[in-house]
């Protein structure tokens, strides 16, 4: 529910008020118009719109009102709008204010309006549409909700990315920290795991981004509030406790279960969470810092594969907002890092070991030192002639890491990977990119090298065949083969139970690349 307060109701104000959604009682939203024009007040009341005849510039009129979510300063005179704006901002420092400048604004008026209002409107022709879009749209209501939630945080905020974060998660966390700072909220951009992909490390280092690397043994007592970006559930794809109270969730991935949070913004239509955070910066009238703008632009480009994958108008709009503030020379350096030898070796093993069936290629690369080499290997396989879907997996610390890519129109890769592996680990992603993480605890009890090799061989066969079976069955179909082998290898005691999700990266929401 949104409470909107209108101070003054001139010619333009009337047009806007009459089109507010509060005219439909089903919305549950609230509206109050304060105007010193008795005729206007009576007309609005006749139309069942709540209006009060009073001076909108009088501090006593608004002194006892509850805090509005949005204030619209909408009189016809510039001088009175300026006075009403100043007193509204003093009384309601956390409210979003849209202010009409009136018809006789001086340069001093313009400066003062820009200082006090979140949105300043100075053109009659597009007035109604601008205000309705800026103050009534769902995305505007989301900005109002985020502002309110941040204003309620008294102590330090942890903005938590998913494990082993990708550029979209990193940039989104940094942007939310910047927004919190504007609201006088101290915040840290936090992550578990490591940033091992060479381009991701280059981004963090070249932009000198301030991130905090948490471990599972670290106390969370430093924080009184928690935000999740680029994923939506604590304990899934991060190492937070599953029952942790979450204050803010901002993500663009489809959730696989109930999403907790006081404020939740899931934009499944956006190609990147960075696009959503860019919109918040824009709606809060905040000019992004150059490192933040550069990181956000890179995050959008990576998640949309340079605006060719699951891209939306919001992504293009965000890029246009960020471009004037981004450092393109640093972007070039980030995108051309030195590729490590281990990564090249992993790609080579994937090409050599691939098993191809029709347009699907599956490859085991054996033991890995850098899990971020897997998505690069999957991308390389996808570039081979005749290949439309790839899955590459490797072993590290009794875990199996899986990365998949597809450009096939008839494959929903996220659902396919979930069907194949969700019962034996954590899996998920998008239609064209996905991943999984499977715990292979049995290896911890084996010392003999030959026996380890034998077990790994069986695991490779199981993973390959489960994926191919899931491809054949189509999305939403349970994969039932190899049940006894799976239960023995992945330590599942009951067929209805999967391994605990409250561990490292669960890769539920689209892989960290």
């Amino acid at each position: 529910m949104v409470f909107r307060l209108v101070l003054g109701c001139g010619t333009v104000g009337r047009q806007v008020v009459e089109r507010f959604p509060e005219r439909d009682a089903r919305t549950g939203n609230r509206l109050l118009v304060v105007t010193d024009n008795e005729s206007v007040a009576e007309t609005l009341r006749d139309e069942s719109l709540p209006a009060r005849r009073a001076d909108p510039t009088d501090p006593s009129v608004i002194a006892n009102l509850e805090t509005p979510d949005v204030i619209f300063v909408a009189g016809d005179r510039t001088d009175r709008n300026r006075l009403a704006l100043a007193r509204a901002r003093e009384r309601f420092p956390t409210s979003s204010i849209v202010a009409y400048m009136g018809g006789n604004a001086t340069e001093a008026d313009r400066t003062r309006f820009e200082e006090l209002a979140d949105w300043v409107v100075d053109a009659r022709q597009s007035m109604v549409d601008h205000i309705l879009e800026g103050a009534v749209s769902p995305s505007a209501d989301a900005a109002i909700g985020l502002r309110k939630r941040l204003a309620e945080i008294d102590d330090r905020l942890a903005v938590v990315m998913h494990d082993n974060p990708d550029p979209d998660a990193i940039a989104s966390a940094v942007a939310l920290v910047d927004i919190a700072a504007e609201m006088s909220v101290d915040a840290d951009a936090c992550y578990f795991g490591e940033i091992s992909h060479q381009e991701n490390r280059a981004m963090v280092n070249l932009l000198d981004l301030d991130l905090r690397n948490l471990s599972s043994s670290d106390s969370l007592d430093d924080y009184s509030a928690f935000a999740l970006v680029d994923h939506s559930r604590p304990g899934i794809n991060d190492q937070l406790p599953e029952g942790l109270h979450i204050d803010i969730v901002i993500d663009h991935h489809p959730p696989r279960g109930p999403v907790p949070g006081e404020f939740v913004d899931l934009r499944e239509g956006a190609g990147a969470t960075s696009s959503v955070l860019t919109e918040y910066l824009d709606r809060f009238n905040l000019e992004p810092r150059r490192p933040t703008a550069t990181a956000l632009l890179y995050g959008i480009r990576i998640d949309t594969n340079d605006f060719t994958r699951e891209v939306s108008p919001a992504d293009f709009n965000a890029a246009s907002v960020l471009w004037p503030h981004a450092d393109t020379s640093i972007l070039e350096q980030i995108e051309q890092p030195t590729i490590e030898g281990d990564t090249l070796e992993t790609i080579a093993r994937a090409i050599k070991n691939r098993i191809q069936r029709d347009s699907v290629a599956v490859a085991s690369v054996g033991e890995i030192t850098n899990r971020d080499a897997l998505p690069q290997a999957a991308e390389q396989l996808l570039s081979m002639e005749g290949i439309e879907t790839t899955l590459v997996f490797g072993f590290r610390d009794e875990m199996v890491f899986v990365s998949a890519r597809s450009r096939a129109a008839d494959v929903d890769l996220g659902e396919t990977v979930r069907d194949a592996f969700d019962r034996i680990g954590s899996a998920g992603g998008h239609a064209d990119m996905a991943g999984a993480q499977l715990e292979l605890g049995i290896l911890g009890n084996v010392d003999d090298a030959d026996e380890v090799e034998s077990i790994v061989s069986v695991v490779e066969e199981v993973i390959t065949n489960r994926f191919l079976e899931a491809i054949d069955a189509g999305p939403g179909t349970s994969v039932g083969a190899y049940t006894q082998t799976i239960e023995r290898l992945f330590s599942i005691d009951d067929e209805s139970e999967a391994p605990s999700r409250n561990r490292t990266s669960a890769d539920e929401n689209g892989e960290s690349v």
Side-chain angles (χ1 to χ4, degrees), residues 194-421:
E194 59 185 15
I195 301 174
S196 53
H197 193 297
Q198 62 270 8
E199 292 183 8
N200 301 354
R201 290 201 307 272
M203 183 182 87
V204 173
N205 293 333
L206 290 171
L207 296 176
D208 195 23
L209 302 180
D210 188 10
L211 312 179
R212 181 179 178 185
N213 188 195
L214 297 173
S215 71
S216 56
S217 61
D218 286 342
S219 171
L220 300 176
D221 292 343
D222 292 343
Y223 302 104
S224 66
F226 296 86
L228 305 182
V229 293
D230 207 34
H231 70 302
S232 57
R233 297 162 64 195
I236 304 293
N237 214 2
D238 63 35
Q239 297 179 50
L240 296 173
E242 285 190 19
L244 184 68
H245 180 271
I246 300 299
D247 296 82
I248 296 168
V249 177
I250 302 176
D251 191 16
H252 76 116
H253 300 100
R256 288 287 289 177
V259 176
E262 297 292 332
F263 170 82
V264 176
D265 187 2
L266 301 180
R267 306 276 187 94
E268 296 180 34
T273 305
S274 292
S275 299
V276 181
L277 266 299
T278 300
E279 182 180 293
Y280 282 125
L281 287 168
D282 194 35
R283 285 199 173 277
F284 291 157
N285 201 26
L286 300 178
E287 181 176 315
R289 297 184 303 114
R290 187 166 293 271
T292 303
T294 307
L296 287 168
L297 183 57
Y298 185 59
I300 296 169
R301 290 176 61 178
I302 289 297
D303 257 35
T304 63
N305 194 26
D306 267 334
F307 303 96
T308 63
R309 176 178 62 205
E310 297 189 0
V311 68
S312 73
D315 304 309
F316 289 109
N317 183 64
S320 69
V321 170
L322 296 168
W323 184 259
H325 308 287
D327 191 325
T328 54
S329 64
I330 288 184
L331 272 178
E332 291 177 359
Q333 295 179 60
I334 293 171
E335 293 171 337
Q336 299 175 3
T338 301
I339 300 179
E340 297 175 348
D342 286 349
T343 299
L344 290 175
E345 289 181 9
T346 299
I347 294 172
R349 289 199 301 272
I351 295 172
K352 179 181 178 181
N353 298 342
R354 73 187 186 279
I355 296 172
Q356 184 172 345
R357 195 192 68 183
D358 298 327
S359 63
V360 180
V362 181
S364 169
V365 297
E367 188 173 355
I368 57 174
T369 57
N370 177 7
R371 62 170 284 182
D372 284 321
L374 295 175
Q376 296 178 73
E379 293 278 5
Q380 286 295 321
L381 286 184
L382 195 62
S383 67
M384 298 178 68
E385 185 177 359
I387 301 297
E388 294 187 338
T389 301
T390 66
L391 182 134
V392 178
F393 61 95
F395 304 84
R396 178 183 173 187
D397 298 333
E398 301 177 28
M399 301 294 294
V400 183
F401 296 98
V402 179
S403 179
R405 295 290 185 271
S406 182
R407 59 167 176 259
D410 59 345
V411 173
D412 186 326
L413 202 53
E415 289 299 322
T416 299
V417 169
R418 275 190 284 267
D419 291 340
F421 305 118

Side-chain angles (χ1 to χ4, degrees), residues 37-334:
N37 188 316
E38 176 62 26
S39 175
V40 170
E42 288 183 359
T43 300
L44 292 174
R45 287 194 291 265
D46 289 342
E47 296 175 359
S48 300
L49 291 171
R52 178 185 303 174
R53 184 192 175 191
D55 183 355
T57 68
D58 184 351
S60 65
V61 172
I62 60 174
N64 297 319
L65 293 178
E66 65 177 273
T67 301
D69 298 294
V70 179
I71 300 172
F72 177 26
V73 179
D76 286 332
R77 289 177 47 181
T78 299
D79 57 341
R80 290 183 60 77
N81 282 356
R82 176 173 169 172
L83 183 57
L85 170 61
R87 289 174 173 168
R89 177 54 77 200
E90 181 180 4
R91 170 68 180 86
F92 304 114
T94 63
S95 295
S96 296
I97 302 182
V98 181
Y100 172 45
M101 199 174 292
N104 299 295
T106 65
E107 195 59 39
D109 291 326
R110 297 177 191 280
T111 300
R112 189 60 173 157
F113 273 73
E114 292 288 348
E115 289 175 352
L116 296 175
D118 297 285
W119 295 277
V120 178
V121 185
D122 190 22
R124 286 177 181 265
Q125 184 175 2
S126 60
M127 169 71 70
V128 174
D129 289 341
H130 176 88
I131 293 174
L132 287 171
E133 189 280 329
V136 183
S137 70
S139 58
D141 282 347
I144 295 166
L146 178 60
R147 179 190 288 270
K148 287 177 63 178
R149 190 59 200 157
L150 286 170
E152 293 167 354
I153 296 174
D154 295 326
D155 211 332
R156 201 166 195 85
L157 169 69
V159 181
V160 183
M161 317 164 217
H162 56 67
D163 283 0
N164 312 299
D166 61 2
D168 188 30
I170 295 169
S172 298
V174 170
L176 185 53
V177 167
D178 287 354
I179 292 172
E182 290 294 325
M183 297 287 296
S184 300
V185 176
D186 293 328
D188 295 325
C190 305
Y191 69 96
F192 294 91
E194 59 185 15
I195 301 174
S196 53
H197 193 297
Q198 62 270 8
E199 292 183 8
N200 301 354
R201 290 201 307 272
M203 183 182 87
V204 173
N205 293 333
L206 290 171
L207 296 176
D208 195 23
L209 302 180
D210 188 10
L211 312 179
R212 181 179 178 185
N213 188 195
L214 297 173
S215 71
S216 56
S217 61
D218 286 342
S219 171
L220 300 176
D221 292 343
D222 292 343
Y223 302 104
S224 66
F226 296 86
L228 305 182
V229 293
D230 207 34
H231 70 302
S232 57
R233 297 162 64 195
I236 304 293
N237 214 2
D238 63 35
Q239 297 179 50
L240 296 173
E242 285 190 19
L244 184 68
H245 180 271
I246 300 299
D247 296 82
I248 296 168
V249 177
I250 302 176
D251 191 16
H252 76 116
H253 300 100
R256 288 287 289 177
V259 176
E262 297 292 332
F263 170 82
V264 176
D265 187 2
L266 301 180
R267 306 276 187 94
E268 296 180 34
T273 305
S274 292
S275 299
V276 181
L277 266 299
T278 300
E279 182 180 293
Y280 282 125
L281 287 168
D282 194 35
R283 285 199 173 277
F284 291 157
N285 201 26
L286 300 178
E287 181 176 315
R289 297 184 303 114
R290 187 166 293 271
T292 303
T294 307
L296 287 168
L297 183 57
Y298 185 59
I300 296 169
R301 290 176 61 178
I302 289 297
D303 257 35
T304 63
N305 194 26
D306 267 334
F307 303 96
T308 63
R309 176 178 62 205
E310 297 189 0
V311 68
S312 73
D315 304 309
F316 289 109
N317 183 64
S320 69
V321 170
L322 296 168
W323 184 259
H325 308 287
D327 191 325
T328 54
S329 64
I330 288 184
L331 272 178
E332 291 177 359
Q333 295 179 60
I334 293 171

Side-chain angles (χ1 to χ4, degrees), residues 448-461:
D448 183 81
D450 291 337
E451 188 173 353
V452 169
E453 184 178 350
S454 176
I455 293 172
V456 168
S457 177
V458 174
V459 171
E460 290 175 338
E461 180 181 357

Side-chain angles (χ1 to χ4, degrees), residues 9-52:
C9 195
T11 304
V12 172
R14 281 288 306 277
Q15 296 179 56
V16 174
V17 167
E18 289 175 356
R19 289 174 57 184
F20 269 137
E22 280 77 1
R23 294 180 67 83
D24 183 350
R26 293 171 298 178
T27 64
N29 294 328
R30 295 173 52 215
L31 171 70
L32 175 62
V33 179
V34 176
T35 174
D36 55 4
N37 188 316
E38 176 62 26
S39 175
V40 170
E42 288 183 359
T43 300
L44 292 174
R45 287 194 291 265
D46 289 342
E47 296 175 359
S48 300
L49 291 171
R52 178 185 303 174

